[in-house]
Amino acid sequence: LQAVQQKVRFIKKDLNRSFTPENLERVLQAPSDELEAEDLELREIYETLKKEVEIFKPKHLVFVDLHTTTAFGGIFTIPTEEQNSLDLALSLHAPVIEGFLNGIHGTTLHFFNSNLFNIPTTAISFESGQHDERLSINRAVAALVNCLRHVGCVKPDDVESRHDDILREYSEGLPRFSKLVQIHRVNPEDNFQMRPDYKNFMAVAEGEILASDRNGNIMADRDGLILMPLYQPQGEDGFFIIEPIEGF
């Protein structure tokens, strides 16, 4: 939240690369005055969820991690490798991208699994649009409502069709299912600069110059669609390239 207030991705470290069992153990054992901003938020998230689980004793947990991106373009959903997660992702009427768990580390999707509280758990991430785009809020709400319907928390007849319409409209013309095929890693000292005007799901060609850093131009390894081009100073990933999969 401190990062949001300062309009930066993080204060000291990326919170969504900090969700590991080892890091949680360190954070829970350390005195508060020795922890950085993201450490404190990680502990608060865990302790809040743990308390709710102890109070309500659910038989199944569903986590939906809501995100926005620096680039404009379509919405999308990232599932885990479990079938329940994939089914939930497909129910949101947004493109589904597989393979992210193998490409990055320490995310909520790695962390919120059935081992966390010893309860069957389904988790997905939903990207609702660009950071400052007001309609990103509407799409996040629509995704949550559809999620509640899918898992049986609300009756289908009680869900307004406009929630489906919002998600379908922003997903129109986009592939329903894709796989991750390239990640470009970024270090702070790289002086990474993304070329302007790339948007999520924009087609790129093998050999196309997408960005540059202190070592020169950075090109696409193959044909595909670009995802989450980095247009902010902080971040570990410069861009992703995905490849649509037919048959979904």
Side-chain angles (χ1 to χ4, degrees), residues 179-190:
K179 64 178 180 180
L180 178 65
V181 295
Q182 181 184 348
I183 304 174
H184 181 76
R185 304 290 189 195
V186 173
N187 294 312
E189 64 273 13
D190 287 347

Side-chain angles (χ1 to χ4, degrees), residues 175-231:
R176 190 177 186 210
F177 198 87
S178 302
K179 64 178 180 180
L180 178 65
V181 295
Q182 181 184 348
I183 304 174
H184 181 76
R185 304 290 189 195
V186 173
N187 294 312
E189 64 273 13
D190 287 347
N191 193 27
F192 176 84
Q193 294 289 326
M194 192 75 206
R195 287 204 165 186
D197 300 326
Y198 281 103
K199 298 179 181 180
N200 290 324
F201 295 99
M202 183 178 288
V204 297
E206 180 180 355
E208 181 176 343
I209 298 174
L210 305 177
S212 62
D213 62 15
R214 62 178 182 170
N215 297 312
N217 291 329
I218 301 165
M219 296 177 288
D221 287 348
R222 62 174 75 191
D223 296 347
L225 306 176
I226 197 167
L227 211 61
M228 293 189 283
L230 184 65
Y231 288 116

Side-chain angles (χ1 to χ4, degrees), residues 124-150:
I124 62 169
S125 288
F126 180 77
E127 299 277 355
S128 64
Q130 201 272 343
H131 293 327
D132 301 316
E133 188 182 10
R134 292 187 62 83
L135 288 177
S136 295
I137 299 172
N138 300 51
R139 293 187 285 266
V141 170
L144 287 176
V145 170
N146 279 13
C147 175
L148 291 172
R149 177 180 61 192
H150 179 82

Side-chain angles (χ1 to χ4, degrees), residues 15-80:
L15 179 61
N16 203 33
R17 297 295 184 272
S18 302
F19 285 91
T20 66
E22 298 79 13
N23 196 42
L24 176 64
E25 183 177 359
R26 177 188 65 82
V27 166
L28 292 177
Q29 293 178 355
S32 296
D33 58 3
E34 294 181 6
L35 296 176
E36 296 171 335
E38 285 79 16
D39 293 331
L40 291 170
E41 292 191 6
L42 172 61
R43 184 164 72 182
E44 183 179 359
I45 290 170
Y46 173 77
E47 290 180 344
T48 299
L49 293 173
K50 184 173 183 290
K51 181 180 178 180
E52 294 297 315
V53 167
E54 290 172 348
I55 292 172
F56 291 101
K57 297 178 174 57
K59 295 181 180 179
H60 193 110
L61 291 174
V62 177
F63 288 96
V64 181
D65 187 14
L66 299 175
H67 288 261
T68 53
T69 68
T70 57
F72 286 90
I75 58 178
F76 57 94
T77 306
I78 301 173
T80 68

